[in-house]
Amino acid sequence: MKVVRNYLYSVGYQILAIIVPLITSYYVSRVLRPEGVGANAFTNSIIQYFVLLANMGIGFYGNREIAYVRDDITKLKKTFLEIQFIKTFMTIVSYVFFLIFMFFYERNRVYMWAQSINLLAVAFDISWFYQGIEDFKKTVLKNSLVKIISTILIFVFIKNASDVTIYIILLAISTLLGNLTLWPGLRKILGNVYIGKLLPWRHFFPMLSMFVPQIAVQIYVQLNRTMLGIMVSEKASGFYQYSDGLVKLVLALVTSAGTVMLPHVANALANGDKDSVDLMMYKSFDFVSAITIPMAFGLAAISHDLAPLYYGKGYEPVGTAMMIESVIVILIGWSNVIGIQYLLPADRVKEYTVSVTLGSIVNIILNIPLIYFLGLNGAMISTICSEVTVTGYQLLAVKRNFYFNKLFKDLWKYLLSAFVMFVTICLLRSILKATWVSLLLEVTTGVVSYLILIILLRTRVISNGKELIRSRGKL
């Protein structure tokens, strides 16, 4: 039940972390207009490269290492201090590189200096520690409060198209304050245990092995925005960010499972409980398939109505981009289970690294011609090809560890149910005028039709859900 509880906390925070900018973007997209939104998206894509260097693969690595030693308070404190030392050092190094970059960079300099607050915030991010000890409640509640306050401030201070800098600063400071709120609780957890001599650099090369796949992931996450801003326009970069934001909102339900399961699987592997790990993987893969497939089909069905309704006039290209990008909900869901929930905690970083590196190579190769000829939609197609590569390679990497007929046992049932849902929503769209009420009706009808079908088809996710409810009732 602890895994379920942590999953719900993580889902709640991930959704809030995406919903907050989505709520504000409903307002900001109209105030700052596509030009201002695009300037923020483009400059943020650049600062993320420096954030990546500062993070140095510590998120996944720290999460896993803390999970390994969380039952020994002395090792726990020692490991935390060593990893945090390297993180602080790498943040300083990264900021020095940023200062050198700014010496030569001349475009949107004020925006870039405002974005640099995001880089400073990295040094104070210790969410990986709380994830490692499977204490998601503190992270969620404290960060949630900060994000709610920042949302209020955006509505108060962002009044016209010239407030782009203020908007960037408010978002960045909310990240910094959210990270700072996690520090007061450390003393209670770690206490005054004597730990002896610190050896931080023993973690450096293992971190580096985690850093390589993160570089690859960031290339095809951030590079699309950067290349669109250079090859097409900053507006196109903003359109990409807004499409990606709505898709990532849907994905939050899935990626949260990876954050929660990584320390749990790592701890089980450390204790030699392989059978438990296998069972968790089969159930997790089935659960992810059951929720990502209807999400992808549903998002594709409503995208053309959702984008202009939500963002307003001038953002119509976002609808088509969302429809294309919706496929990655399924692909990232599967790679999250195989890569984040299994390969990383099993210390099979090499296979994970190869998968995301191949994905980034495919992205780079396809981006130039596709963006040149198809613009925004070309970037989305390139993203899909990258995710197909990543997921395909990871599945091949674990073909001797898991039976594919068990992983994909109910796949046809979920696909059939989602397709019927898609057709149902499209029929409603052809009859109803695009309004928020009609959109709500379409989504509700789609969800109900999908649930009815997976119940009638007796899918595993339903039986696993019943088993979970029964087990909770006994507690």
Side-chain angles (χ1 to χ4, degrees):
M1 288 310 299
K2 184 177 182 180
V3 175
V4 177
R5 188 165 55 250
N6 284 336
Y7 171 70
L8 293 175
Y9 275 124
S10 186
V11 165
Y13 178 68
Q14 291 294 334
I15 291 176
L16 181 68
I18 298 173
I19 279 181
V20 165
L22 285 178
I23 290 174
T24 56
S25 64
Y26 181 84
Y27 169 74
V28 169
S29 63
R30 290 162 172 79
V31 176
L32 299 184
R33 297 198 289 269
E35 293 77 12
V37 169
N40 171 51
F42 180 65
T43 53
N44 183 260
S45 73
I46 294 174
I47 200 65
Q48 289 305 317
Y49 299 119
F50 296 98
V51 168
L52 174 65
L53 176 62
N55 272 314
M56 188 65 184
I58 290 171
F60 289 141
Y61 177 82
N63 185 337
R64 188 187 69 185
E65 293 303 301
I66 292 297
Y68 286 156
V69 300
R70 67 188 184 200
D71 297 325
D72 186 323
I73 188 63
T74 303
K75 289 182 179 179
L76 179 66
K77 185 173 184 178
K78 182 181 178 68
T79 301
F80 167 75
L81 291 175
E82 289 172 343
I83 293 175
Q84 184 57 32
F85 173 85
I86 293 181
K87 187 165 192 179
T88 304
F89 175 80
M90 289 307 301
T91 303
I92 295 171
V93 169
S94 184
Y95 205 86
V96 170
F97 280 120
F98 173 74
L99 293 175
I100 296 171
F101 169 79
M102 288 302 294
F103 184 77
F104 299 97
Y105 187 76
E106 297 182 356
R107 185 177 176 182
N108 295 324
R109 288 178 61 84
V110 175
Y111 298 159
M112 285 304 307
W113 285 115
Q115 294 282 7
S116 70
I117 299 173
N118 288 295
L119 179 54
L120 295 174
V122 173
F124 302 98
D125 180 14
I126 55 171
S127 57
W128 50 272
F129 172 78
Y130 287 97
Q131 290 165 3
I133 62 174
E134 295 193 73
D135 185 356
F136 288 78
K137 184 177 180 179
K138 289 186 178 67
T139 306
V140 169
L141 295 181
K142 291 182 178 180
N143 274 293
S144 296
L145 179 61
V146 172
K147 288 190 177 297
I148 291 169
I149 293 172
S150 70
T151 301
I152 296 171
L153 293 176
I154 285 171
F155 283 103
V156 172
F157 289 104
I158 307 302
K159 296 297 183 182
N160 55 65
S162 63
D163 291 335
V164 178
T165 305
I166 299 174
Y167 177 63
I168 293 172
I169 291 173
L170 284 174
L171 290 179
I173 288 180
S174 72
T175 301
L176 174 61
L177 292 178
N179 293 343
L180 289 172
T181 60
L182 299 176
W183 283 82
L186 274 179
R187 184 175 180 83
K188 183 178 180 181
I189 298 171
L190 299 179
N192 296 312
V193 179
Y194 176 73
I195 56 173
K197 186 179 180 180
L198 293 177
L199 300 170
W201 298 110
R202 69 187 177 95
H203 298 283
F204 186 80
F205 286 107
M207 282 180 185
L208 195 60
S209 68
M210 290 282 200
F211 182 47
V212 173
Q214 283 201 323
I215 292 174
V217 169
Q218 286 297 319
I219 283 177
Y220 66 85
V221 170
Q222 302 299 336
L223 189 62
N224 290 330
R225 286 194 293 164
T226 306
M227 291 185 69
L228 281 168
I230 295 172
M231 295 177 63
V232 183
S233 67
E234 289 185 356
K235 284 174 62 176
S237 181
F239 290 152
Y240 182 93
Q241 176 169 299
Y242 272 6
S243 171
D244 198 54
L246 286 172
V247 173
K248 291 300 192 299
L249 171 60
V250 173
L251 269 170
L253 292 169
V254 182
T255 54
S256 294
T259 305
V260 172
M261 291 295 288
L262 191 154
H264 197 71
V265 172
N267 192 255
L269 288 170
N271 293 322
D273 193 0
K274 186 180 180 302
D275 291 339
S276 176
V277 171
D278 289 348
L279 182 61
M280 282 189 284
M281 288 300 99
Y282 285 124
K283 286 187 175 183
S284 184
F285 197 91
D286 182 69
F287 170 72
V288 165
S289 296
I291 63 172
T292 56
I293 292 173
M295 285 175 179
F297 276 76
L299 190 61
I302 66 171
S303 59
H304 284 291
D305 287 345
L306 178 60
L309 276 174
Y310 188 81
Y311 293 121
K313 187 177 180 180
Y315 290 89
E316 287 79 10
V318 176
T320 303
M322 282 174 55
M323 187 172 188
I324 297 171
E325 192 183 10
S326 62
V327 179
I328 73 166
V329 174
I330 303 171
L331 297 170
I332 293 180
W334 287 345
S335 64
N336 188 270
V337 176
I338 302 300
I340 307 299
Q341 298 183 35
Y342 182 74
L343 292 178
L344 290 185
D347 202 20
R348 293 172 60 177
V349 180
K350 182 179 179 180
E351 287 113 318
Y352 180 77
T353 302
V354 171
S355 71
V356 295
T357 302
L358 288 174
S360 65
I361 292 172
V362 168
N363 185 261
I364 293 170
I365 292 173
L366 294 180
N367 252 356
I368 295 175
L370 287 175
I371 290 177
Y372 181 81
F373 288 107
L374 300 174
L376 174 63
N377 295 337
M380 292 306 179
I381 294 171
S382 177
T383 299
I384 292 172
C385 294
S386 299
E387 295 300 341
V388 168
T389 304
V390 173
T391 305
Y393 184 89
Q394 289 183 2
L395 285 169
L396 289 175
V398 298
K399 65 180 180 180
R400 294 184 179 179
N401 303 102
F402 302 103
Y403 296 105
F404 281 9
N405 61 337
K406 289 184 70 174
L407 286 175
F408 296 102
K409 181 180 178 182
D410 284 351
L411 179 63
W412 71 271
K413 297 179 181 179
Y414 301 133
L415 287 171
L416 175 62
S417 302
F419 179 73
V420 172
M421 178 193 72
F422 178 83
V423 172
T424 303
I425 294 174
C426 288
L427 287 173
L428 282 173
R429 279 190 65 235
S430 66
I431 299 171
L432 303 173
K433 184 180 178 181
T435 63
W436 284 112
V437 175
S438 64
L439 195 66
L440 180 61
L441 178 62
E442 290 164 13
V443 172
T444 303
T445 304
V447 170
V448 171
S449 65
Y450 179 78
L451 289 175
I452 290 173
L453 283 169
I454 63 172
I455 291 172
L456 291 175
L457 292 172
R458 298 182 179 181
T459 56
R460 281 188 298 173
V461 72
I462 298 299
S463 58
N464 288 337
K466 290 179 179 178
E467 180 182 331
L468 180 64
I469 292 171
R470 284 195 297 268
S471 64
R472 185 171 184 176
K474 294 176 182 179
L475 296 177

